[in-house]
């Protein structure tokens, strides 16, 4: 499926999409469906950046209705209220679309929000917020909202571990969803974009970006898998869509060194634990002592805690959890759920990501509102960027970007219809599961992905194609067998198989602090 880069030399596309996270993948899918000849390029693997490192929540938008430090903030700032209502509606619509159209990619859970006496919101205000959410969104995916008393909390798994149960004014309980797993959501869109005629490329670096006298954009690309044999090639595009996430400013400044800042990066980490079986499908949403969200989310028989929220000014090409961050998160987790006794020794693994939030001098940690930037103000005509686009609204982001491109560029191809169905592997009941803790992926699935889904290495396969990287073992103990199973499809000899297994274990140790048994 991967065209040699040299064959694209001199090709002109209606639009080029830079960055194949979930929003870039959706943009390419919707642009191709609208009849635009589309190029999608990603410097690493599809969805290997922030899209794979989030809190994974397909949430209902409750957070957007929190007025902030004062319950009267929305009354004094009606524009903020209207913005919050719009974002909450986007969340409810996205929740409905994903659950209805792609149920294989989401999992339901029971979420509980404890309301303490010191909480700035009264129970009736929380009740009102859920009534507003119900009115904003479709009714096909119910919220199942109810309010529990402190007596019920003492009898329920997970809730029984809450601090100061006697200080509770109540517990808001509702149905929430999480993505399972977000990388595959992005890959679904990538594969559908290819079906619709888009040229999709991972492990392809953007080395140059320049606007030509005739208005077209010249992109210089390099295949990172070609060992320098094919060199660099140039392609042309009528428009450029920058969905490079935390790399957005870097891409913009390739085209104009003085391009304005668009991104503020905040780092979040999560830690995975194994809680008692009775806690399965039970989660908690609350606020930490810095008045920022903290979650305990069920995940494939495990639970993860997070996130942190700190400004990030480090290397955006090497983002990983640090021990100090884990220590801080454990302290907050034990403050929220002292009965659980979270300990560093019980952390199965961790992950870290940087949120590509919208730069706003008035908000030091960035604005969470999704923004589409027309970069003509920087002299970059027919170039657009998207910031602060969460996973859950990726479909509407793709549609929004397509409408904006269509206002400037005429498509040269034939329109089609995007498919939101989950891409599925061929049935092979005789193939064993890669990992008993994640029986939904088999070695046959891995071989199919190796042959048809453009992976470059074992990390691509086990994290973005099969999802086995997100299990308690992180698939490290079966890395060598997995490499041997795909060796024929990937063209690997015995030495490469050994090297891939070793590199995989080094990857999970470096990026996820996994140090379990490797055999």
């Amino acid at each position: 499926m991967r065209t040699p880069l040299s064959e694209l030399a001199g090709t002109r596309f209606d639009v080029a999409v830079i960055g194949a996270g979930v929003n870039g993948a959706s943009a390419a899918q919707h642009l191709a469906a609208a009849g635009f000849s589309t190029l999608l390029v990603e410097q690493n693997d599809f969805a290997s950046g922030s899209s794979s490192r989030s809190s994974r929540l397909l949430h209902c938008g409750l957070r957007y209705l929190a007025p902030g430090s004062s319950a009267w903030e929305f009354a004094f700032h009606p524009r903020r209220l209207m913005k919050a209502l719009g974002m909450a509606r986007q969340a409810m619509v996205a929740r409905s679309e994903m659950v209805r159209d792609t149920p294989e990619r989401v999992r339901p859970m029971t979420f509980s929000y404890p309301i303490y006496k010191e909480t700035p919101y009264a129970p009736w205000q929380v009740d009102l917020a859920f009534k507003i959410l119900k009115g904003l969104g479709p009714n096909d995916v119910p919220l199942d909202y109810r309010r529990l008393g402190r007596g019920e909390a003492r009898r329920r798994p997970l809730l029984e571990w809450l601090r100061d149960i006697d200080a509770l004014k109540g517990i808001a309980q509702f149905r929430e969803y999480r993505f399972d797993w977000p990388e595959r959501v992005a890959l679904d869109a990538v594969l559908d974009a290819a079906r619709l005629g888009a040229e999709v490329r991972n492990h392809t670096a953007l080395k140059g970006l320049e606007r030509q006298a005739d208005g077209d954009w010249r992109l210089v690309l390099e295949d990172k898998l070609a060992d320098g044999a094919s060199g660099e090639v140039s392609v042309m595009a009528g428009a450029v869509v920058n969905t490079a996430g935390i790399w957005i400013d870097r891409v913009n400044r390739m085209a104009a060194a003085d391009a304005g800042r668009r991104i503020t990066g905040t780092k979040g980490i999560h830690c995975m634990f194994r809680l008692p079986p009775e806690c399965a499908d039970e989660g908690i949403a609350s606020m930490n002592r810095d008045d920022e969200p903290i979650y305990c989310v069920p995940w494939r028989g495990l639970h993860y805690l997070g996130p942190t929220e700190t400004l990030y000014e480090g290397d955006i090409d090497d983002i990983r959890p640090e021990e100090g961050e884990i220590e801080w998160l454990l302290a907050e987790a034990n403050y929220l759920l002292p009965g659980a006794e979270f300990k560093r020794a019980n952390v199965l693994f961790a992950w870290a990501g940087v949120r590509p939030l919208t730069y706003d001098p008035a908000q030091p940690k960035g604005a969470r509102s999704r923004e589409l930037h027309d970069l003509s103000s920087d002299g970059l005509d027919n170039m657009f960027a998207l910031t602060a686009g969460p996973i859950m609204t990726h479909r509407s982001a793709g549609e929004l970007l397509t409408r904006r491109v269509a206002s400037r560029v005429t498509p040269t191809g034939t329109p089609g219809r995007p498919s939101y169905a989950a891409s599925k592997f061929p049935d092979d009941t005789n193939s064993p599961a890669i990992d008993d803790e994640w029986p939904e992926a088999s070695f046959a699935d891995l071989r199919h992905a190796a042959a048809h889904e453009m992976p470059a290495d074992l990390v691509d396969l086990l994290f973005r194609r099969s999802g086995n990287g997100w299990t308690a073992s992180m698939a490290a103990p079966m890395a060598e067998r997995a490499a041997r199973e795909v060796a024929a499809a990937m063209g690997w000899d015995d030495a490469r198989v050994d090297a891939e297994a070793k590199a995989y274990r080094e990857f999970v140790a470096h990026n996820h602090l996994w140090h379990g048994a490797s055999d």
Side-chain angles (χ1 to χ4, degrees), residues 113 163 285-294 332 335-336:
Y113 177 76
R163 66 172 174 89
S286 188
M287 305 299 284
N288 64 31
R289 284 174 285 184
D290 289 340
D291 202 28
E292 293 170 338
I294 184 170
E332 290 300 320
Y335 177 74
L336 173 66

Side-chain angles (χ1 to χ4, degrees), residues 152-408:
E152 289 181 272
R154 289 189 173 94
R155 299 190 296 270
R156 293 187 65 93
L158 206 61
L159 297 181
E160 63 182 343
W161 294 334
L162 282 167
R163 66 172 174 89
D164 302 330
I165 289 181
D166 288 337
L168 284 169
K169 292 188 289 187
I171 295 175
Q173 194 170 86
F174 55 102
R175 185 197 299 185
E176 196 63 288
Y177 289 83
R178 60 169 171 76
F179 288 101
D180 188 42
W181 63 105
E183 300 96 318
R184 193 72 205 184
V185 173
L187 197 62
D188 289 338
V190 169
L191 294 173
D192 195 53
R195 177 189 67 84
L196 290 162
E199 180 68 38
V200 299
R201 297 191 61 86
N202 56 352
H203 299 287
T204 300
L206 178 69
K207 306 296 288 187
L209 183 60
E210 182 182 15
R211 195 154 189 265
Q212 305 297 288
D214 63 1
D216 274 359
W217 285 94
R218 176 176 174 264
L219 293 82
V220 181
L221 306 175
E222 180 183 55
D223 188 343
K224 295 172 68 175
L225 304 181
D227 296 325
S230 63
E232 298 177 349
V233 304
S234 295
V235 300
M236 308 300 291
V240 172
V241 170
N242 184 355
T243 48
I246 56 176
W247 292 272
I248 278 176
D249 288 341
R250 181 186 292 180
V251 170
N252 289 347
R253 287 165 188 165
M254 281 187 182
D258 58 350
R261 182 177 176 183
R262 296 303 196 281
I263 287 292
T264 294
T266 62
K267 184 180 181 182
I269 74 158
H270 297 78
C271 295
M272 190 74 77
F273 294 86
R274 191 185 298 278
L275 299 184
E278 58 266 26
C279 296
D281 298 326
E282 298 282 342
I284 288 180
S286 188
M287 305 299 284
N288 64 31
R289 284 174 285 184
D290 289 340
D291 202 28
E292 293 170 338
I294 184 170
Y295 307 109
C296 181
V297 182
W299 175 265
R300 301 180 181 178
L302 308 172
H303 281 74
Y304 59 86
L305 282 158
T308 59
E309 180 103 11
T310 55
L311 278 174
Y312 186 74
E313 297 177 342
D315 183 358
I316 60 176
D317 296 312
D318 184 22
I319 300 163
R320 51 197 170 91
E322 304 288 348
E323 289 294 341
E325 296 167 327
I326 292 176
E327 181 180 349
W328 184 92
L329 186 57
L330 289 175
E332 290 300 320
N334 282 312
Y335 177 74
L336 173 66
L337 295 165
E341 297 183 347
F342 293 106
K343 299 177 181 178
R344 178 64 181 90
N346 296 330
V347 176
L348 298 174
F349 60 87
W351 70 90
V354 174
R355 308 169 187 87
L357 301 181
T358 303
Y359 173 69
D360 182 348
Q363 301 186 61
K365 290 189 177 181
R368 289 186 173 271
S369 56
R370 186 180 75 187
E371 299 291 341
L372 194 162
H373 306 268
D374 184 335
L375 300 176
S376 59
S377 60
D378 289 309
L380 307 177
D381 291 344
N382 287 3
M383 185 170 171
F384 311 96
L386 185 81
T387 57
I391 295 172
M392 63 185 182
T393 57
H394 68 281
R395 289 182 185 169
S396 66
E399 294 166 347
L400 175 65
L401 286 162
T402 298
R403 289 195 298 272
R404 184 58 62 90
V405 170
S407 70
R408 303 285 184 82

